[in-house]
Amino acid sequence: MRKKTFLISMLLLAVCFIACQKKNPQHEEAKKTVTEWMGKTIIFPDNVSCTHILQDSVTSTIANKPFKILLYTDSVGCTSCKLRLFDWKNIMNDTDTLFPGKVEYLFYFHPKSVKELTFILKRDRFEHPVYLDIENRINDLNSFPENQSYHCFLLDADNKVLSIGNPSLNPNIRNLYKQIISGKAEPDKRDSNTTAEPDNSNIETDVLVAGMKSKIVFTLKNTGNAPLVIHDIKSTCGCAVPSWEKQAIECGKSTSITVETTPGQSGYFNKTIKVYCNTENSPIILRISGVAK
């Protein structure tokens, strides 16, 4: 019981990193969703078509492994944006390297267009089997949360929810999944929280040349009482590539985050950089804007 209570606390902490302040409605949504779903049993529908881009047909039998990661994607919005298949390939490779044979991946897609989904799978060379749930039966059986951030679950061998949250959207959730799978989800294994402040969170550049690389540097200072650990940094566009020092930043010290940006075309641009770290307001948002000619 104590372990379950702690896992709920850990998950709440990781999911709530999405919200910038405690008064943010996202915090309350995360708390309610985690409390509701922890320990629930996911029901899987029978006779859902399973497909593979390199094979005509594959078995739909779910492997009996200690853990499962279930991703459900509905038909709302941009399919390619929500799937994030490149990130999922990295997550699977990383997880299988750390925990060989322990995790089964279940991708249930309710596509608005099977043709579009097939094209995306082939384009991104996603070679893992996926379930085409045309009738949306898995959602009918389970009534998943409306917020797509909570359409991913870490399950045990009996399909009970151990954690909820999408590791491709939030590196803190990704780290939590690893802790639970490894059995190290203990209080003394967590990163202590700290606070951090950028010297300038919004940088407006000089006029840049479209197609040419430029470097923009942010400075982030650890203003708290524990080492600052940057788990990951993501940008909203592939034309802005961040790099940073991987070691922890001591209290009172600063670190540089360099973003190499290459405007693809002339005109105004605005790029968002998200810094995922062990602060309660993670991710810290940085922005680059300017004009390219």
Side-chain angles (χ1 to χ4, degrees):
M1 182 66 182
R2 290 180 61 188
K3 184 174 181 181
K4 180 179 179 181
T5 301
F6 172 68
L7 287 177
I8 293 176
S9 300
M10 281 280 287
L11 183 55
L12 279 170
L13 179 63
V15 172
C16 289
F17 278 168
I18 303 172
C20 292
Q21 297 181 357
K22 291 183 179 180
K23 293 182 180 180
N24 193 307
Q26 289 180 319
H27 176 84
E28 294 303 318
E29 180 188 14
K31 181 178 179 181
K32 179 181 178 181
T33 303
V34 170
T35 302
E36 177 184 353
W37 281 88
M38 284 291 289
K40 270 192 174 183
T41 299
I42 297 295
I43 303 171
F44 289 94
D46 296 326
N47 302 320
V48 173
S49 174
C50 188
T51 188
H52 191 296
I53 65 170
L54 298 182
Q55 301 177 24
D56 293 333
S57 62
V58 295
T59 177
S60 60
T61 303
I62 298 176
N64 186 24
K65 294 184 180 180
F67 300 95
K68 305 179 186 77
I69 294 178
L70 165 65
L71 176 69
Y72 163 72
T73 301
D74 60 23
S75 59
V76 179
C78 170
T79 302
S80 181
C81 300
K82 293 197 298 183
L83 292 182
R84 303 177 70 90
L85 296 179
F86 179 78
D87 289 333
W88 274 105
K89 287 194 289 186
N90 287 336
I91 289 171
M92 289 191 292
N93 288 336
D94 184 32
T95 305
D96 288 342
T97 299
L98 293 172
F99 314 108
K102 283 192 173 184
V103 182
E104 174 74 359
Y105 308 93
L106 303 172
F107 296 93
Y108 273 77
F109 299 150
H110 173 51
K112 55 186 176 184
S113 168
V114 174
K115 183 178 180 180
E116 179 192 21
L117 176 60
T118 303
F119 169 78
I120 294 170
L121 293 173
K122 290 182 177 179
R123 181 198 65 189
D124 294 348
R125 300 290 300 170
F126 192 74
E127 299 178 1
H128 191 84
V130 303
Y131 291 86
L132 298 180
D133 192 358
I134 305 300
E135 298 178 359
N136 204 20
R137 294 174 63 193
I138 193 169
N139 189 37
D140 290 340
L141 290 171
N142 296 280
S143 298
F144 293 135
E146 291 185 7
N147 190 332
Q148 68 174 23
S149 298
Y150 308 114
H151 285 178
C152 187
F153 306 85
L154 176 64
L155 311 176
D156 66 10
D158 298 318
N159 300 328
K160 292 186 180 296
V161 176
L162 300 175
S163 185
I164 180 173
N166 194 327
S168 74
L169 299 175
N170 188 342
N172 297 307
I173 294 294
R174 184 173 178 175
N175 291 333
L176 179 58
Y177 276 26
K178 289 180 183 179
Q179 284 189 308
I180 295 173
I181 294 169
S182 67
K184 295 180 180 179
E186 300 172 358
D188 60 340
K189 298 296 183 179
R190 288 183 292 174
D191 292 327
S192 298
N193 280 353
T194 187
T195 57
E197 294 290 339
D199 63 340
N200 185 357
S201 60
N202 294 275
I203 293 181
E204 186 170 349
T205 69
D206 296 329
V207 176
L208 303 181
V209 178
M212 292 189 63
K213 295 180 180 180
S214 299
K215 290 185 178 181
I216 293 89
V217 179
F218 293 92
T219 300
L220 188 64
K221 183 176 182 179
N222 182 357
T223 56
N225 298 315
L228 173 65
V229 180
I230 297 177
H231 299 303
D232 199 5
I233 301 179
K234 291 183 176 292
S235 68
T236 55
C237 177
C239 59
V241 181
S243 60
W244 67 98
E245 297 178 355
K246 301 303 188 288
Q247 64 266 33
I249 299 95
E250 296 300 323
C251 304
K253 300 294 185 180
S254 298
T255 187
S256 295
I257 298 171
T258 301
V259 181
E260 187 177 86
T261 182
T262 310
Q265 57 187 6
S266 59
Y268 178 78
F269 62 86
N270 192 332
K271 310 297 181 185
T272 299
I273 311 298
K274 296 182 179 181
V275 181
Y276 293 89
C277 52
N278 59 322
T279 62
E280 288 194 7
N281 66 331
S282 174
I284 296 171
I285 304 299
L286 308 174
R287 290 186 172 87
I288 302 170
S289 60
V291 175
K293 292 185 176 180

